[in-house]
Amino acid sequence: MKNGRRVAITGAGMLTPIGIGVRESWEALCAGESGIGPITRFDASDLPTRIAGEIKGFDAAQYMDRKTARRTDLFSQYAIAATRMALEDSGIRFDEATCWRTGVILGSVMGGIGTLVHHINSVAEGNFEGVTKMLASMYMPSAGANDISVIFGLKGPSRGISTACATGGHAIQDAVRFIQYEDADIMVAGAAEAQIVPIFIDSLARLKASSTKNDEPQRASRPFDLHRDGFVSSEGAGVLVLEEMGRALARGAHIYAEVLGTASNIDAYHATKPDSESQARCIRLALDDAQIAGAEVDYVNAHGTATPLGDLSEVQALKKAFGRHAPKLMVSSNKSMIGHMWSASGAVEAIFTSLTLKHGIVPPTINYDEPDPDCEMDFVPNVKREADVRTAISESFGFGGMNAVVVLRRVDATN
């Protein structure tokens, strides 16, 4: 471990298609509830894919003032809300010195695409007066990190990152490194998306990456099932508060889990076709960083998007990385219920993984009805499982071959 500094998760906040906040989302996840439904943001009747995981019941006024809400895209509003939840959950008292030692890494794939599309349409219709002077600061992917830093007065390292579906995992990794190398004592890390707009949903359908099971939306996301036909896009945010372990213990913090190790690499192979060898190497690198053997891992929170090729590659990677231990692993995909939250997936799923460690409950992979003979593992089918889980990994494998793996360990009173 770099400089001997350990990193704890001491706060969490999220908005997902199955709930506002960590508790509501976790309870729905364990109950096997799906958050996928017909798209309501726009008329999708002419699109091949007409379903998505939308955030329900979100009121920006509960988390920010009206001026902030007017000047921020929806993705940034989600990020601000999740950050407020996470900071309150952490119980950290911020004075000037603490603010200087607290940084922010907030990722997004699409940034403020909703704002950008709205303004492009306005200009196309000849309405130049409808273009706000705040456009640039609303749509760029780094806007979320900037907004969080300003609103909460966090003056340490700040980054906006975008590495496709691996963004949330990379945000955690980079944040951990800042703490390990003593550039910060506390980091706010996560990602947010609000990309349910016609052009994006249509492009994924044309790529044949998204599910077209429009008549049964809650059963559309089917990771590892023989009849999976693609992922379901969803929106939301996940934010973690990461804190140097000694500091967290000294103040008696509530600790979800320890970030034991992280790793990232890239396939350098193809934009949309994953490479299991590279994914397996990323898993091994994360285990090496955590300084543990593969046999110590009990549970894998899989990337599990429900694409035919992606799920197969992930299973192959797990078998290559874990060898004879692979059949003993419990593996489940949160995306069977929350859909694919793009950048936010890695952050949200890391939080869910830490809750598995803390509560000894492994969420199920729902809609797993017929096993794929080429994807044989213990996917915790359809019903949650109580289990003694001490060590787990959370995987994020993104478009372009960008990979991120986070290793988490339960923090016991004897640690």
Side-chain angles (χ1 to χ4, degrees):
M1 190 63 69
K2 284 74 180 173
N3 294 338
R5 282 165 66 94
R6 297 164 61 192
V7 179
I9 301 171
T10 58
M14 64 172 64
L15 297 91
T16 74
I18 55 175
I20 301 292
V22 170
R23 181 176 179 178
E24 187 175 309
S25 296
W26 173 247
E27 289 177 352
L29 190 81
C30 292
E33 298 177 8
S34 171
I36 309 304
I39 292 173
T40 65
R41 296 288 170 77
F42 58 88
D43 182 2
S45 57
D46 292 333
L47 300 184
T49 294
R50 301 187 292 277
I51 56 176
E54 297 178 338
I55 300 300
K56 306 161 189 71
F58 174 70
D59 180 5
Q62 294 185 19
Y63 306 98
M64 65 203 78
D65 59 45
R66 292 182 179 180
K67 183 178 179 180
T68 300
R70 285 198 307 270
R71 294 189 172 193
T72 53
D73 182 83
L74 185 59
F75 97 95
S76 192
Q77 293 176 18
Y78 288 162
I80 293 165
T83 299
R84 189 171 297 281
M85 295 174 192
L87 290 175
E88 290 177 355
D89 182 42
S90 74
I92 297 171
R93 295 184 179 181
F94 286 91
D95 55 22
E96 185 176 359
T98 305
C99 288
W100 281 110
R101 295 291 296 168
T102 302
V104 178
I105 300 182
L106 195 288
S108 183
V109 174
M110 292 296 159
I113 188 173
T115 295
L116 183 61
V117 168
H118 171 75
H119 282 77
I120 289 173
N121 289 340
S122 292
V123 171
E125 294 168 0
N127 180 21
F128 288 88
E129 293 299 320
V131 177
T132 175
K133 63 181 181 181
M134 303 299 296
L135 177 59
S137 63
M138 291 174 72
Y139 86 81
M140 57 187 180
S142 61
N146 295 343
D147 292 335
I148 290 168
S149 297
V150 170
I151 290 170
F152 298 100
L154 308 179
K155 301 179 180 181
S158 181
R159 302 283 189 277
I161 66 171
S162 184
T163 54
C165 318
T167 301
H170 285 152
I172 295 170
Q173 180 183 33
D174 291 354
V176 167
R177 294 292 185 258
F178 276 124
I179 294 173
Q180 289 175 335
Y181 286 106
E182 301 186 46
D183 293 312
D185 298 321
I186 303 163
M187 291 294 299
V188 173
E193 296 289 353
Q195 81 297 9
I196 300 177
V197 296
I199 190 172
F200 186 63
I201 297 298
D202 188 39
S203 70
L204 294 173
R206 292 174 184 273
L207 186 62
K208 299 188 184 303
S210 57
S211 174
T212 56
K213 295 184 185 296
N214 299 301
D215 295 333
E216 45 180 1
Q218 294 189 337
R219 293 177 53 77
S221 185
R222 312 176 65 84
F224 307 110
D225 184 81
L226 180 64
H227 300 293
R228 64 191 186 275
D229 74 327
F231 59 73
V232 179
S233 273
S234 57
E235 60 178 357
V239 171
L240 304 85
V241 175
L242 303 176
E243 187 173 355
E244 191 274 320
M245 181 68 79
R247 186 187 191 284
L249 292 173
R251 68 179 184 89
H254 167 271
I255 298 175
Y256 286 93
E258 178 178 0
V259 183
L260 207 60
T262 65
S264 65
N265 66 2
I266 187 167
D267 298 351
Y269 171 61
H270 194 278
T272 59
K273 295 178 181 178
D275 176 48
S276 63
E277 287 289 348
S278 181
Q279 293 173 348
R281 178 173 174 77
C282 192
I283 294 169
R284 294 190 198 102
L285 288 170
L287 295 175
D288 288 346
D289 188 56
Q291 299 180 13
I292 65 170
E296 295 180 58
V297 176
D298 305 301
Y299 168 61
V300 175
N301 189 309
H303 187 57
T305 61
T307 61
L309 186 58
D311 286 5
L312 175 60
S313 177
E314 185 167 13
V315 168
Q316 291 172 341
L318 287 169
K319 290 181 177 180
K320 291 173 182 177
F322 287 97
R324 284 183 286 184
H325 183 62
K328 300 178 183 178
L329 292 169
M330 293 176 286
V331 181
S332 67
S333 171
N334 301 158
K335 293 183 181 71
S336 61
M337 290 165 277
I338 63 174
H340 193 348
M341 298 176 67
W342 289 81
S343 71
S345 292
V348 166
E349 290 162 9
I351 295 171
F352 284 149
T353 305
S354 71
L355 290 168
T356 287
L357 292 164
K358 190 164 188 65
H359 298 299
I361 298 174
V362 179
T365 303
I366 71 167
N367 301 323
Y368 187 74
D369 298 329
E370 188 169 349
D372 180 345
D374 294 325
C375 291
E376 291 186 350
M377 295 193 79
D378 177 5
F379 295 118
V380 193
N382 301 312
V383 179
K384 70 180 181 182
R385 183 181 304 169
E386 294 186 6
D388 180 24
V389 181
R390 179 171 174 79
T391 306
I393 67 172
S394 179
E395 300 181 336
S396 301
F397 301 136
F399 273 20
M402 289 177 276
N403 306 315
V405 176
V406 178
V407 184
L408 300 174
R409 174 162 285 181
R410 188 176 74 217
V411 176
D412 297 318
T414 54
N415 279 21

